[in-house]
């Protein structure tokens, strides 16, 4: 009996710690946390962290892959589970995972081309190349830099408040690459680089992508941090059942998942506790369901709350974690740039606009980095703050656009039928940091437009533009409702313009343009239309543009004030002056309802005004191929009214029924005149009302409009594609 009692006691002493702890004596073992990748499903990790905090479980090391790496890193640098919940809820994940700049952030030249091209291809060395990924991750890295700024000087991730490591995959060998040193934000960008979605990342001689491919549940990496037992949270997708393998996509997904699941099963053997939230019905792109995912993670962890509390009572003391905080200001003692090959350093320093030594807030650095990125010379722009004895060195890291772009636009409307726009965007030809844009428009109306931009050496936002343009278009001339003639207008021009061309809101420029115009009447007779003009004109232009989009704006203001003067003394065949005012304002009333209004006024006075310098009214979505100034007017045929002066007042309302699905009503009161009217009488103006429905399509917005007005009882217009 004594022997049995002794045997029983020894067995209890051996087995009991296994029930009470993951395998170490009281107060002696350390607990590691392993968070798997899974895209949006990784939000479930936050729910698990909430339960771990509630149970008092101290974490002594964290490893993660992809989204698990991001959540784990933020927890490791000091954010609580509640703070992470609030953080992920306020972030705009759709915006975060795109590199497209908002129109308001674009420089003025880019706003002209915004929303004109349906798709683009890269080409290098005369050959077309598919991109290495759809997203470079500019916004992601900037947000991660902001969230981890309080640990910006820590380069060894084991020295973070909680030791941390994440995993990526070597794209060349398929092997796991452990990321435990360097800039934390860049490491997190590497671990989440989903192939074909995000571009690969250069990391210490490796070209790496998402760690999911090599080790989605990085348990062995957490053990290497010196912990004794592991809590592993697996949100990865399981293999499909046979009944689910019914189509091409499910079979491809299953094939892709085999090595991921095999690696996960191997890593699970190292885990002391595995928490698997029930995420059936969710996928990696469900960023709009984060609340459900957090709750499911919490529910899954709560099933183990008793065991977690036992572990908490026996575990090593928790690691003190400082609260994350953003410094009020940073003392910058030097600025350095890494990664430049073809772009001039002047572009970086001009846009950054930081002159050390100086004391500046972090927001000023971020604004400078954003300005550099939106110059569109770079695929990605990041920064690093390195400690110096008397402050910090700001190191700007850039990845230059490695290739030129070939872009394409398609357009159909009921006036000009189908049109194709071909574009080449060439960077760093001649002047470093320059852009050459070549556009060819094919269709009933033809245009070639070449524009060469480069930054000035004198001040930020200033630059020079050279332009060569040939346009062939047709204008119908009316008398009342009756068309009298059709005129073919051929115009060749060259232009030089200087000013604050690279501003994002307000641009002022002065220029000189020379042009030759040849008019040919193809139908009917056009009295007063001279066949040939040679024109040299001075140009002055002031523009303010904060519209959020080119088509169906939901907010912002557009203002243009232009003046042009043609003088015989410069070699012109005539002389005249043109003045233009164009103002539009879009006011969001609710998230879906927008009210808008606008005024257009133009006047041309002088000896003889060429046809293409007159003002035209009529139609909807008029193409910008015509060099003169034309304005929409519902209830009139395209260009039905023309004259030496024009006055337009319009207002309307727009409602977004569903995402990118609009209904719009617009009313106009306008007319053209042979000379500027000195008296305003209501009966001299034409009214028009149009009701439009529109939606986004792969080649641009589609809009159908039904109209009525003073001249016509019913007119319709259909346009599909970006306006160019």
């Amino acid at each position: 009996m004594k022997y049995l009692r002794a045997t029983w006691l020894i067995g209890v002493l051996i087995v009991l710690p296994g029930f009470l702890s993951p395998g170490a004596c009281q107060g002696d073992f350390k607990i590691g946390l392993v968070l798997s990748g899974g895209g949006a499903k990784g939000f479930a990790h936050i729910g698990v962290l909430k339960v771990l905090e509630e149970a008092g479980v101290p974490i002594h090391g964290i490893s993660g892959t992809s989204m698990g790496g991001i959540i784990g890193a933020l927890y490791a640098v000091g954010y609580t589970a509640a703070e992470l919940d609030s953080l992920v809820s306020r972030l705009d994940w759709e915006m975060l995972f795109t590199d497209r700049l908002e129109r308001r952030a674009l420089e003025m030249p880019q706003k002209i081309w915004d929303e004109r091209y349906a798709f683009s291809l890269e080409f290098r060395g005369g050959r077309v190349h598919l991109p290495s990924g759809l997203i470079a991750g500019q916004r992601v890295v900037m947000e991660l830099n902001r969230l981890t700024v309080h640990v910006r000087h820590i380069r060894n991730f084991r020295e973070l408040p909680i030791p941390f490591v994440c995993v990526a995959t070597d794209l060349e060998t398929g092997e796991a690459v452990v990321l435990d040193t360097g800039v934390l934000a860049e490491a997190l960008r590497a671990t989440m680089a989903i192939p074909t979605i995000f571009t690969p990342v250069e990391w210490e001689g490796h070209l790496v992508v998402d760690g999911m491919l090599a080790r989605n549940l990085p348990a062995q990496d957490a053990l290497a941090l010196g912990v004794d037992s592991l809590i592993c949270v697996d949100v990865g997708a399981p293999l499909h059942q046979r009944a689910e393998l019914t189509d091409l996509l499910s079979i491809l997904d299953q094939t892709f998942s085999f090595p991921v699941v095999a690696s996960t099963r191997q890593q699970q053997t190292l885990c002391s506790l595995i928490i698997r939230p029930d995420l059936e019905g969710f996928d990696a792109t469900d960023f709009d369901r984060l609340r459900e995912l957090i709750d499911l993670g919490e529910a899954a962890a709560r099933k183990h709350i008793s065991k977690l509390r036992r572990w908490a009572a026996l575990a090593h003391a928790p690691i003190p974690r400082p609260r994350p905080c953003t410094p009020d200001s940073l003392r910058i003692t030097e600025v350095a740039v890494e990664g430049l090959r073809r772009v001039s350093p002047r572009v970086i320093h001009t846009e950054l606009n930081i002159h050390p030594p100086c004391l500046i807030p972090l927001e000023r650095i971020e604004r400078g980095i954003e300005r550099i990125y939106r110059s569109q010379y770079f695929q990605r722009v990041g920064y690093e703050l390195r400690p110096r004895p008397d402050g910090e060195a700001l190191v700007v890291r850039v990845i230059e656009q490695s290739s030129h772009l070939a872009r394409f636009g398609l357009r159909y409307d009921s006036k000009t039928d189908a049109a194709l726009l071909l574009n080449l965007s060439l960077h760093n030809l001649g002047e470093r940091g320059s852009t050459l844009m070549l556009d060819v428009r094919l269709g009933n109306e033809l245009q070639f437009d070449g524009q060469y931009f480069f930054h000035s050496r004198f001040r930020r936002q200033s630059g020079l533009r050279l332009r060569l343009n040939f346009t062939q278009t047709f204008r119908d001339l009316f008398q009342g409702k009756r068309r009298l003639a059709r005129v073919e207008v051929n115009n060749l021009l060259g232009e030089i313009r200087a000013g604050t061309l690279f501003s994002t809101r307000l641009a002022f420029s002065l220029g000189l343009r020379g042009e030759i115009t040849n008019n040919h009447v193809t139908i009917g007779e056009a009295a007063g239309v001279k066949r040939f003009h040679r024109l040299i004109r001075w140009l002055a232009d002031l523009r303010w543009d904060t519209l959020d989009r080119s088509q169906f704006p939901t907010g912002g203001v557009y203002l243009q004030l232009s003046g042009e003067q043609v003088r015989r003394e410069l070699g012109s065949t005539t002389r005249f002056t043109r003045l233009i005012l164009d103002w539009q304002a879009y006011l969001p009333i609710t998230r879906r309802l927008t009210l808008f209004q606008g005024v257009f006024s133009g006047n041309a006075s002088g000896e003889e005004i060429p046809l293409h310098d007159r003002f035209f009214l009529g139609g909807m979505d008029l193409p910008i191929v015509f060099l003169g100034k034309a304005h929409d007017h519902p209830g009139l045929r395209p260009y039905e009214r023309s004259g030496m002066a024009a006055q337009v007042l319009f207002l309307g309302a727009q409602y977004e029924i569903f995402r990118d699905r609009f209904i719009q009503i617009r009313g106009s009161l306008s007319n053209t005149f042979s000379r500027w009217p000195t008296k305003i009488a209501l009966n001299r103006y034409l009214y028009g009302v149009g009701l439009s429905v529109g939606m986004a399509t792969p080649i641009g917005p589609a809009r159908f409009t039904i109209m009525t007005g003073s001249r016509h009882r019913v007119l319709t217009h259909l346009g599909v594609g970006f306006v160019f």
Side-chain angles (χ1 to χ4, degrees):
M1 180 66 70
K2 291 182 179 180
Y3 172 78
L4 291 176
R5 289 178 180 176
T7 303
W8 180 82
L9 181 60
I10 292 171
V12 169
L13 292 175
I14 293 174
V15 174
L16 186 59
F19 285 97
L20 296 179
S21 76
C25 297
Q26 181 172 354
D28 189 38
F29 75 92
K30 297 181 179 180
I31 299 175
L33 180 64
V34 183
L35 304 179
S36 79
K41 294 187 292 184
F43 291 136
H45 295 316
I46 298 174
V48 174
L49 289 170
K50 287 184 176 182
V51 176
L52 294 181
E53 289 182 349
E54 178 184 330
V57 176
I59 302 299
H60 304 93
I62 301 176
S63 68
T65 294
S66 197
M67 182 62 83
I70 293 175
I71 299 297
L74 295 178
Y75 195 74
V77 302
Y79 292 93
T80 66
E83 288 169 336
L84 289 175
D85 188 327
S86 175
L87 174 66
V88 300
S89 298
R90 71 169 174 79
L91 289 176
D92 185 341
W93 291 93
E94 181 179 354
M95 182 63 70
L96 205 61
F97 289 143
T98 178
D99 288 329
R100 179 175 174 80
L101 287 167
E102 295 181 0
R103 187 179 185 277
R104 286 172 173 158
L106 294 175
E107 295 173 344
M108 284 300 205
Q110 299 297 336
K111 289 186 179 184
I112 298 173
W113 295 300
D114 181 50
E115 299 180 357
R116 293 185 67 186
Y117 308 107
F119 57 94
S120 61
L121 295 172
E122 297 180 358
F123 69 94
R124 299 186 296 271
R127 298 180 59 185
V128 173
H129 294 262
L130 293 175
S132 60
L134 300 178
I135 304 170
Q138 176 69 21
R139 285 195 176 95
V140 173
V141 173
M142 289 298 292
E143 185 66 37
L144 292 172
N145 265 323
R146 186 179 303 115
L147 295 172
T148 60
V149 67
H150 59 290
V151 293
R152 60 190 178 280
H153 295 156
I154 297 178
R155 293 295 177 264
N156 185 340
F157 303 161
R158 293 172 180 263
E159 298 174 1
L160 291 171
I162 296 177
F164 172 77
V165 65
C166 57
V167 175
T169 302
D170 190 311
L171 191 57
E172 184 179 7
T173 66
E175 297 178 353
V177 178
V178 178
L179 312 179
D180 57 2
T181 59
V183 178
L184 182 57
E186 295 291 341
L188 298 179
R189 164 66 178 85
T191 190
M192 59 164 285
I194 302 171
T196 71
I197 303 299
F198 286 92
T199 56
V201 175
E202 293 278 354
W203 187 272
E204 298 180 356
H206 300 275
L207 186 66
V208 300
V209 293
D210 197 307
M212 168 192 64
L213 300 176
R215 198 148 58 234
N216 196 44
L217 189 70
Q220 69 184 68
D221 306 288
L223 288 176
L225 296 175
V227 300
D228 301 299
S229 301
L230 299 179
I231 299 173
C232 300
V233 186
D234 183 11
V235 297
L239 293 174
H240 294 290
Q241 300 297 314
R242 180 172 179 175
E244 298 172 317
L245 299 172
T246 57
D247 55 58
L248 176 65
L249 292 179
S250 62
I251 293 172
L252 285 174
D253 183 57
Q254 184 87 332
T255 305
F256 177 78
S257 299
F258 284 147
V260 177
V261 172
S263 168
T264 297
R265 287 172 177 170
Q266 181 184 21
Q267 295 294 308
Q268 285 174 349
T269 63
L270 304 175
C271 301
S272 305
L273 173 63
I274 301 174
I275 299 175
R276 296 188 186 90
D278 181 7
L279 303 180
E280 185 176 356
F282 292 85
D283 62 42
T285 62
D286 285 333
F287 289 94
D288 57 340
R289 303 177 67 183
L290 64 88
R291 177 55 47 207
E292 298 171 71
L293 290 162
I294 292 173
D295 291 343
L296 288 171
E298 183 176 349
R302 200 165 292 284
K303 295 177 182 178
H304 306 276
I305 188 72
S306 297
K307 181 180 290 188
L308 292 172
R309 283 175 173 155
R310 290 198 300 269
W311 286 18
L314 299 172
H316 193 279
I319 300 174
R321 292 192 300 159
R323 307 301 309 130
C325 61
T326 301
D328 295 331
S329 58
L330 303 167
R331 180 170 179 77
I332 304 300
T333 59
E334 60 179 290
V335 174
V337 183
E338 296 179 355
L340 284 180
R341 292 180 297 166
R342 297 181 300 275
V343 179
S344 170
R346 183 178 72 251
V347 174
I348 302 292
H349 292 290
T350 299
E351 297 296 344
L352 189 61
N353 196 29
I354 293 175
H355 308 287
C358 57
L359 194 66
I360 58 173
L362 178 65
E363 290 76 11
R364 183 172 169 185
I365 295 176
E366 293 177 338
R367 289 196 299 269
I369 296 297
E370 182 182 1
R371 286 194 298 268
I372 296 170
Y373 176 67
R374 70 190 180 207
S375 71
Q376 302 198 25
Y377 296 125
F378 306 101
Q379 183 184 111
R380 190 154 67 85
V381 183
Y383 70 93
E384 177 185 354
L385 293 165
R386 296 175 183 170
R388 292 291 184 266
D390 54 348
E392 298 180 81
L394 172 61
V395 180
V396 179
R397 289 201 183 101
V398 299
I399 301 175
E400 293 185 0
Q401 293 284 6
S402 59
S403 60
H404 306 303
L405 291 177
R407 300 189 283 189
F408 307 89
L410 299 171
R411 171 73 181 171
Y412 171 83
D413 69 53
S414 49
K415 164 61 179 175
T416 57
D417 296 329
L420 172 66
L421 183 64
L422 309 176
N423 169 268
L424 291 180
S425 300
L426 310 175
H427 300 286
N428 304 304
L429 292 182
E431 179 75 10
R432 293 173 67 187
S434 64
T435 299
L436 175 62
M437 301 287 288
L438 301 174
D439 273 323
V440 176
R441 186 186 196 275
L442 303 175
N444 289 342
E445 296 182 321
L446 305 177
Q447 184 182 58
F448 166 80
D449 191 56
Q451 301 193 44
Y452 183 66
F453 292 86
F454 58 90
H455 285 259
S456 165
R457 299 177 184 270
F458 303 108
R459 58 172 299 175
R460 188 170 66 87
Q461 300 181 343
S462 65
L464 191 70
R465 183 188 79 174
L466 306 177
R467 184 183 188 191
L468 179 66
N469 178 286
F470 171 76
T471 300
Q472 181 189 78
T473 187
F474 296 89
R475 284 297 163 262
D476 292 336
L477 301 181
F478 292 82
Q479 185 178 55
K481 299 181 182 180
R482 186 169 63 92
R483 187 178 70 178
L484 296 177
R486 168 167 288 188
V487 181
E488 176 186 313
V489 181
N490 295 279
N491 184 277
L492 176 66
L493 70 84
E495 179 182 302
I496 181 170
R497 191 183 289 263
T500 57
L501 303 177
F502 297 99
S503 169
T504 59
R505 291 190 176 189
L506 179 64
F508 175 73
S509 64
L510 297 173
L512 180 67
R513 177 193 296 170
E515 58 191 283
I516 297 174
T517 300
N518 186 280
N519 300 317
H520 175 61
V521 179
T522 60
I523 300 176
E525 296 183 358
V529 176
K530 188 174 179 179
R531 182 176 180 85
F532 174 82
H533 283 284
R534 181 177 64 249
L535 306 171
I536 299 177
R537 69 181 78 196
W538 294 107
L539 308 168
D541 189 79
L542 176 70
R543 298 189 189 216
W544 173 271
D545 188 346
T546 60
L547 298 181
D548 60 350
R549 61 176 84 181
S550 300
Q551 299 291 311
F552 297 107
T554 59
V557 174
Y558 176 83
L559 172 67
Q560 177 187 356
L561 296 172
S562 295
E564 304 172 2
Q565 189 173 61
V566 176
R567 303 293 298 270
R568 288 186 180 273
E569 294 85 346
L570 299 176
S572 303
T573 56
T574 184
R575 67 178 182 89
F576 62 90
T577 300
R578 277 207 327 165
L579 300 174
I580 294 171
L581 163 67
D582 190 355
W583 174 77
Q584 303 171 36
Y586 293 80
L587 177 64
I589 303 302
T590 68
R591 189 170 62 90
R592 296 184 179 274
L593 177 63
T594 301
L595 300 182
F596 58 89
Q597 59 182 327
V599 172
F600 173 80
S601 177
N603 184 53
S605 59
E607 292 180 356
E608 183 177 8
I609 314 300
L611 177 63
H612 71 279
D613 277 309
R614 300 176 188 177
F615 298 96
F616 290 82
L617 295 178
M620 298 292 293
D621 295 335
L622 299 178
I624 61 175
V625 67
F626 194 52
L627 293 173
K629 195 67 178 178
H631 206 282
D632 293 354
H633 181 101
L636 291 176
R637 293 190 176 96
Y639 315 112
E640 186 172 338
R641 297 290 299 167
S642 64
M644 309 306 173
Q647 295 177 347
V648 179
L649 170 67
F650 68 88
L651 52 86
Q654 174 179 287
Y655 188 78
E656 189 172 9
I657 309 170
F658 305 106
R659 182 177 177 84
D660 292 329
R661 305 290 191 271
F662 295 92
I663 183 169
Q664 184 184 92
I665 185 168
R666 170 178 174 149
S668 290
L669 193 65
S670 62
N671 210 344
T672 59
F673 307 92
S674 58
R675 63 177 58 87
W676 185 259
T678 57
K679 294 183 179 180
I680 296 178
L682 192 60
N683 59 6
R684 302 184 67 182
Y685 295 90
L686 305 175
Y687 77 86
V689 178
L691 178 66
S692 301
V693 291
M695 61 180 291
T697 75
I699 65 169
R703 182 204 295 257
F704 175 76
T705 304
I706 183 168
M707 304 169 280
T708 186
S710 304
R711 290 290 182 89
H712 305 279
R713 295 184 62 182
V714 177
L715 291 175
T716 60
H717 177 268
L718 173 65
V720 181
F722 296 119
V723 177
F724 52 77

